[in-house]
Amino acid sequence: MHQTLKIGQIVPSSNLTMEREIPAMLRSRETLYPERFSFHSSRMRMKKVTKEELAAMDKDSDRCALELSDAAVDVMGYACLVAIMSMGRGYHRESQKRLHQVTVDNGHPAPVVSSAGALVDGLHLMGAKRVSIVTPYMRPLTDMVADYITAEGIEVTDSIALEIPDNLEVAAQDPMNLTEIYKRANLKNIDALVLSACVQMPSLAAIQKVEDECGIPVVSAAVATTHQMLTKLNLKPHVPGCGALLSGKYL
């Protein structure tokens, strides 16, 4: 009998999607592999996706890491891409290092990943030099996300901003709408399509369908986070039906 691995997530208080999509992917993986998972979260207050609320929320991440460390989780994910990116270029490295140190100081060291860092690292692993992205954010935040990704050496050739300010409304979006929305993006000469550059906008149900349809590798922040969590746990990062990054090709 295999040990149950504990997945910890630091989530915005209004976030619903990461506590749906991460477990869905790992439950799917359980049908193929012996490892089992349990899921644990700590919340940071945030209702509106604004730069001010994001900055205030990020200050809460240390408390959340400490709480999850009390449960001795095996890996921890900071599940808010835009909160990290709004703090300045390259901030995911600083955040991950600091939150990991919280777990060390608490006597339960755990690797820490962030959805922002995982997306960038996942795109690099796939060899993506040029991408288009879809976000639910207002245009200024979408441009900030594009700038952050560009600063990491990946050109964002096009971005779609759905401009939904309320975070609960973002979570309520039908992921299958993305099978039409993505067609508005410039797909010429890109290496990957980020179907949801936001961990709150549901996309999991659409990823494989869009990838099969457009013939371009399709990824999301949630898929990238799952890939990096599995990698940190020294497990094969393979979940069927979730696009190229989790196909098992990228180890």
Side-chain angles (χ1 to χ4, degrees):
M1 182 175 178
H2 272 254
Q3 172 191 8
T4 297
L5 295 161
K6 291 173 282 188
I7 307 295
Q9 291 199 77
I10 300 171
V11 296
S13 56
S14 53
N15 187 289
L16 304 172
T17 305
M18 283 295 264
E19 290 162 308
R20 293 169 174 167
E21 292 194 346
I22 297 283
M25 283 183 268
L26 294 180
R27 291 287 181 238
S28 177
R29 189 184 185 281
E30 287 179 346
T31 66
L32 298 178
Y33 298 95
E35 293 83 22
R36 296 295 177 262
F37 305 93
S38 64
F39 304 95
H40 314 278
S41 300
S42 182
R43 312 189 91 71
M44 311 170 284
R45 290 296 308 280
M46 190 270 281
K47 296 173 74 175
K48 300 287 184 183
V49 188
T50 64
K51 190 171 177 61
E52 293 73 24
E53 280 207 35
L54 292 169
M57 182 189 73
D58 182 67
K59 293 179 181 177
D60 250 357
S61 62
D62 290 60
R63 172 188 57 79
C64 293
L66 186 61
E67 291 177 1
L68 289 169
S69 177
D70 286 345
V73 296
D74 295 291
V75 67
M76 195 179 299
Y78 188 130
C80 188
L81 176 138
V82 74
I84 292 283
M85 292 190 177
S86 69
M87 297 295 286
R89 292 178 175 184
Y91 180 70
H92 67 275
R93 296 177 183 87
E94 177 185 332
S95 173
Q96 289 165 193
K97 182 179 179 180
R98 189 183 74 248
L99 297 178
H100 172 65
Q101 191 60 48
V102 169
T103 72
V104 171
D105 293 345
N106 197 41
H108 296 292
V112 176
V113 308
S114 69
S115 51
L119 179 60
V120 168
D121 291 346
L123 290 171
H124 280 304
L125 189 61
M126 295 165 72
K129 305 292 187 187
R130 294 161 56 90
V131 302
S132 289
I133 66 174
V134 181
T135 89
Y137 309 130
M138 306 304 286
R139 173 49 65 182
L141 280 179
T142 299
D143 290 344
M144 181 204 66
V145 168
D147 177 76
Y148 192 101
I149 294 170
T150 299
E152 293 290 329
I154 301 162
E155 181 185 347
V156 178
T157 63
D158 196 17
S159 61
I160 294 175
L162 299 181
E163 302 205 90
I164 307 169
D166 184 84
N167 210 32
L168 284 177
E169 189 181 344
V170 172
Q173 299 302 299
D174 181 349
M176 297 313 289
N177 290 343
L178 291 168
T179 61
E180 293 300 322
I181 290 170
Y182 90 91
K183 295 174 184 176
R184 290 156 38 191
N186 180 4
L187 304 179
K188 292 180 180 178
N189 300 316
I190 64 170
D191 304 306
L193 170 66
V194 183
L195 196 59
S196 179
C198 169
V199 296
Q200 176 74 325
M201 185 167 72
S203 63
L204 186 58
I207 285 173
Q208 193 65 56
K209 179 174 175 28
V210 171
E211 181 170 294
D212 293 344
E213 191 173 277
C214 72
I216 298 166
V218 175
V219 70
S220 73
V223 163
T225 302
T226 299
H227 182 280
Q228 196 158 98
M229 282 179 164
L230 289 168
T231 301
K232 294 292 186 183
L233 291 169
N234 295 314
L235 301 177
K236 184 175 182 179
H238 175 220
V239 182
C242 296
L245 185 59
L246 285 173
S247 65
K249 175 181 176 182
Y250 299 100
L251 303 177

